[in-house]
Amino acid sequence: MTLLRIDSATFGYPGRPVLKDVTLEVQPGEVVALIGPNGAGKSTLLRAASGMLRPSTGRILVEGDEIASLTCRERARRIAVVPQAAHVPEAFEVLETARLGRTAYLGWLGRESEEDEAAVRDAMRRTQTQGLESRRLGELSGGERQLVLIARALAQKARCLLLDEPTAHLDLRHETTILKLINQLAHEDGLGVLIALHDLNLAARHADRVALLARGRLRGLGPPDQALTEETLSEAYDVPVKIFRDPSTGSPVIFAASR
Amino acid sequence: MNRSRAPYTWLVLALTCALGASLGLGSEWVSPVDLARLVLQAIGLESVDPTLEQDRIILWSLRMPRAALMALVGASLGSSGAAYQGLLRNPLADPYLIGVAPGAALGAAIAIVFLGPTTTLGYMTVPACAFVGALVTVAVVYRMARVGNSTPVTTLILAGVAVGAFASAATSFVMLLREDQIGRVIYFLWGGFGLGGWQPVLALSPYVCAAVGTLILFARPLNALQFGDEQASQLGLDVERLKLVLIAAATLAAAAAVALTGIIGFVGLIVPHVLRVLAGPDHRRLIPFSALGGATLLLMADTLQRSLPILSRTPVGVVTAVLGAPLFLVLLRRNQKANW
Ligand SMILES: Nc1ncnc2c1ncn2[C@@H]1O[C@H](COP(=O)(O)OP(=O)(O)OP(=O)(O)O)[C@@H](O)[C@H]1O
Ligand SMILES: [Mg+2]
């Protein structure tokens, strides 16, 4: 079943339309990368996809149901979000933060069951954050904090995962760790992943499909080597773009050519 | 979080000591031994000793209800302060910031000035009007703070301050309408009517239990709210309903306290703040801790006020500020770590 279906949706903020007529699907087991220049609407699209922003026209369906018709709990069981440059309360500890991923499963007394604890442990193991358990969020590096937020999202056990630039400001090792994990989650665990990425090369290398947003519309959608062409990228980013093939892997290497 | 039980033990111990002091000290000294014996006699574990008759009356009809009232009011102010601070994510938030106190004061001033109560029953309408004033103010603040279908924290605080200022101005206006009543209004605002006996305790306890119980039940969602409205919603919370429940419960607790004892500042601000430094940001601990801490602080302030002759005409709210403010400043300067 299609995990997430954005169906000719138009959305934006009061007095500021951001994206028009976007149609996009995320299937189980695939990583779809959202790319586009700053301000193109990647975060906005993810906010709409997580039910934070209602489209003015069109529909957003989660596992077949209109997102606005789901309760908050039900929505959080189907879609988990790792926000961009998220605000975190610095005094909170890592384990407690990961446990908040179970919010949508707790009864009214708020006690964690064995199943909840297992989900949290599993999420922390996957993100290799067990060693950080009792550290405060304010005392983590940016990369570690990002991993904790991913752990929290994984604890939600949702089948659809939305991530907003999870690798921004991260070093090469953390970047690789996170993208590898995301690929595993999609290809081995069958999650559907929609991820906003700044770095075109990362998108080209790690996504099954890319969606290019620019100037208020979806400008390209498909496997990286088809959707990412010099012509579309030059136009979208308004700068001449060159693409080479990496001789060892065959994946595209994209950079801005100086004029 | 730091799951140690130690803070509970210390807080219960401190509360017990404060309670003991509150029952023993005053114009008439009742020794701890006599206190223990009187309690045992009351529950029938010791035969009644007629030589303790005077102490028995002091204990059961004066000090015990007074202590219970102070503990309830302190627990209300402490826990509602913790809830407001968490809800508004603002260390300066307390039951008064979003209009509870100015609203209650306005309600009380209207009742005193226009109803001019002279009978006991008449006096009872003043707390009721204060209570209604607080609830109406908070409802207005909440309505005004809504933008579209959400209630951002900043607009909530701004609306609280604005409506609070309006209510204060209205209170002054009402007081000046009847200059002969100014003294009574001020007297109420500084410490209520000094109602004695068990009646106010009985009147207050259902509100306090309901409100503090609700706050404790919603402590975990309140933790999630520390990550901001959007993340809390993405974690599966109905954020708007959650805020409404928390505001209602915290306001109920604070308004009930104001209605019976007037405005007692600083307890709702200092107690959660200090406990956040000592015990961390987890509201599942912070809210019950603040209830215990608030009860302790208010019992201590009240005992001090009753036992020191120079304080005999000082409202207990002034004593809490004198006790609390230095402690607050010391902690503020010593603590450099983030507590949020
Ligand atoms: N809360 C908001 N209110 C009004 N306009 C907004 C709001 N958030 C974003 N915008 C505007 O919407 C547009 C799209 O923003 P968005 O954050 O979705 O871009 P983005 O593609 O994620 O950019 P970046 O790569 O910098 O993260 C921008 O023009 C931005 O100014
Ligand atoms: Mg963005």
Side-chain angles (χ1 to χ4, degrees):
Chain A
M1 188 205 299
T2 307
L3 290 181
L4 178 67
R5 182 173 161 73
I6 299 170
D7 193 1
S8 41
T10 295
F11 38 79
Y13 302 95
R16 188 195 296 265
V18 175
L19 283 168
K20 243 177 109 175
D21 202 22
V22 174
T23 297
L24 180 65
E25 284 185 359
V26 179
Q27 305 293 346
E30 73 168 344
V31 177
V32 180
L34 278 178
I35 56 171
N38 292 128
K42 303 181 290 293
S43 302
T44 305
L45 187 135
L46 289 176
R47 292 188 66 218
S50 63
M52 301 294 107
L53 193 70
R54 275 184 101 132
S56 52
T57 60
R59 298 187 307 164
I60 292 175
L61 303 176
V62 185
E63 298 179 22
D65 297 310
E66 183 104 35
I67 194 160
S69 74
L70 299 175
T71 62
C72 298
R73 274 167 83 88
E74 189 52 42
R75 170 160 53 72
R77 291 178 183 202
R78 298 189 190 187
I79 289 195
V81 185
V82 179
Q84 177 177 21
H87 160 84
V88 298
E90 305 207 329
F92 266 70
E93 287 175 10
V94 168
L95 180 60
E96 255 353 284
T97 306
R99 283 197 175 125
L100 288 178
R102 300 304 291 174
T103 302
Y105 295 87
L106 298 182
W108 65 283
L109 280 178
R111 291 241 171 271
E112 279 102 354
S113 67
E114 196 35 58
E115 191 189 337
D116 295 320
E117 286 300 333
V120 172
R121 267 198 308 276
D122 184 49
M124 294 188 73
R125 187 180 52 75
R126 295 297 293 268
T127 49
Q128 294 172 15
T129 48
Q130 310 102 311
L132 304 173
E133 262 185 22
S134 53
R135 297 270 294 277
R136 292 161 149 235
L137 295 182
E139 293 162 0
L140 298 179
S141 78
E144 291 167 335
R145 193 178 313 178
Q146 200 60 258
L147 283 169
V148 172
L149 292 183
I150 295 176
R152 187 183 72 185
L154 291 185
Q156 278 177 251
K157 291 276 179 229
R159 294 185 60 208
C160 185
L161 193 57
L162 310 181
L163 302 103
D164 199 348
E165 310 217 6
T167 58
H169 314 300
L170 299 195
D171 67 17
L172 286 176
R173 187 174 70 88
H174 277 109
E175 190 179 276
T176 321
T177 317
I178 287 181
L179 287 167
K180 256 177 147 169
L181 171 64
I182 285 164
N183 265 293
Q184 259 180 24
L185 290 168
H187 301 149
E188 290 167 25
D189 303 70
L191 301 190
V193 179
L194 183 59
I195 176 173
L197 284 175
H198 235 112
D199 187 325
L200 296 176
N201 290 303
L202 288 180
R205 211 163 330 125
H206 293 279
D208 301 308
R209 290 193 298 146
V210 295
L212 173 63
L213 302 175
R215 284 170 287 115
R217 281 181 184 274
L218 183 63
R219 299 285 166 181
L221 179 63
D225 41 1
Q226 288 168 28
L228 302 178
T229 65
E230 290 182 349
E231 201 191 338
T232 49
L233 289 176
S234 302
E235 206 183 321
Y237 286 86
D238 197 22
V239 60
V241 170
K242 287 254 172 267
I243 302 182
F244 290 96
R245 296 275 147 203
D246 179 336
S248 58
T249 60
S251 58
V253 179
I254 303 159
F255 60 93
S258 46
R259 289 174 198 261
Chain B
M1 310 276 138
N2 170 16
R3 302 200 150 261
S4 109
R5 299 251 156 230
Y8 268 117
T9 319
W10 284 111
L11 281 166
V12 170
L13 207 65
L15 181 59
T16 314
C17 292
L19 187 64
S22 160
L23 297 177
L25 297 174
S27 51
E28 198 72 35
W29 154 255
V30 182
S31 76
V33 176
D34 286 347
L35 276 181
R37 288 186 59 200
L38 283 166
V39 171
L40 289 178
Q41 287 170 19
I43 55 178
L45 293 178
E46 197 186 286
S47 57
V48 175
D49 177 354
T51 62
L52 287 176
E53 193 50 36
Q54 198 196 347
D55 286 349
R56 188 189 338 276
I57 292 171
I58 290 180
L59 180 66
W60 293 111
S61 18
L62 293 174
R63 297 219 180 130
M64 201 61 115
R66 177 79 186 170
L69 184 65
M70 286 298 134
L72 282 176
V73 168
S76 304
L77 293 175
S79 56
S80 78
Y84 280 126
Q85 288 181 8
L87 187 65
L88 304 180
R89 275 164 262 143
N90 187 318
L92 290 179
D94 80 338
Y96 301 139
L97 189 66
I98 69 171
V100 176
L106 180 59
I110 289 175
I112 293 170
V113 169
F114 292 116
L115 304 179
T118 45
T119 61
T120 311
L121 193 67
Y123 275 113
M124 289 305 288
T125 61
V126 178
C129 289
F131 190 70
V132 171
L135 291 180
V136 168
T137 314
V138 171
V140 170
V141 168
Y142 193 77
R143 286 292 301 264
M144 283 195 12
R146 279 183 86 79
V147 180
N149 49 12
S150 72
T151 319
V153 167
T154 39
T155 58
L156 201 57
I157 293 178
L158 287 173
V161 171
V163 173
F166 181 82
S168 298
T171 305
S172 307
F173 180 73
V174 167
M175 278 160 72
L176 291 169
L177 282 180
R178 288 284 302 275
E179 287 184 32
D180 54 316
Q181 300 284 356
I182 288 181
R184 294 169 76 188
V185 175
I186 290 177
Y187 185 69
F188 169 79
L189 295 182
W190 278 359
F193 288 113
L195 295 171
W198 286 102
Q199 250 167 2
V201 176
L202 293 180
L204 189 55
S205 44
Y207 295 113
V208 176
C209 293
V212 178
T214 306
L215 293 180
I216 290 174
L217 266 183
F218 283 85
R220 195 182 186 283
L222 183 54
N223 281 347
L225 209 52
Q226 302 311 299
F227 286 80
D229 292 1
E230 190 153 314
Q231 288 184 67
S233 169
Q234 287 164 343
L235 288 170
L237 292 172
D238 186 339
V239 170
E240 290 310 314
R241 207 199 56 180
L242 174 64
K243 283 186 188 167
L244 198 61
V245 169
L246 287 168
I247 289 180
T251 302
L252 185 66
V258 172
L260 284 178
T261 53
I263 290 176
I264 296 178
F266 257 91
V267 176
L269 178 64
I270 291 181
V271 169
H273 212 103
V274 168
L275 289 169
R276 189 183 289 277
V277 173
L278 297 179
D282 187 342
H283 290 89
R284 284 170 299 181
R285 290 151 57 86
L286 200 50
I287 286 176
F289 283 4
S290 299
L292 291 173
T296 308
L297 179 63
L298 206 53
L299 275 172
M300 285 177 4
D302 182 58
T303 308
L304 218 66
Q305 189 265 327
R306 285 185 297 107
S307 348
L308 296 182
I310 54 159
L311 293 179
S312 66
R313 294 189 58 83
T314 312
V316 69
V318 173
V319 181
T320 56
V322 170
L323 273 183
L327 183 66
F328 182 70
L329 288 176
V330 168
L331 277 156
L332 203 62
R333 286 202 60 90
R334 270 222 337 228
N335 178 66
Q336 304 295 336
K337 257 192 193 170
N339 294 303
W340 285 76

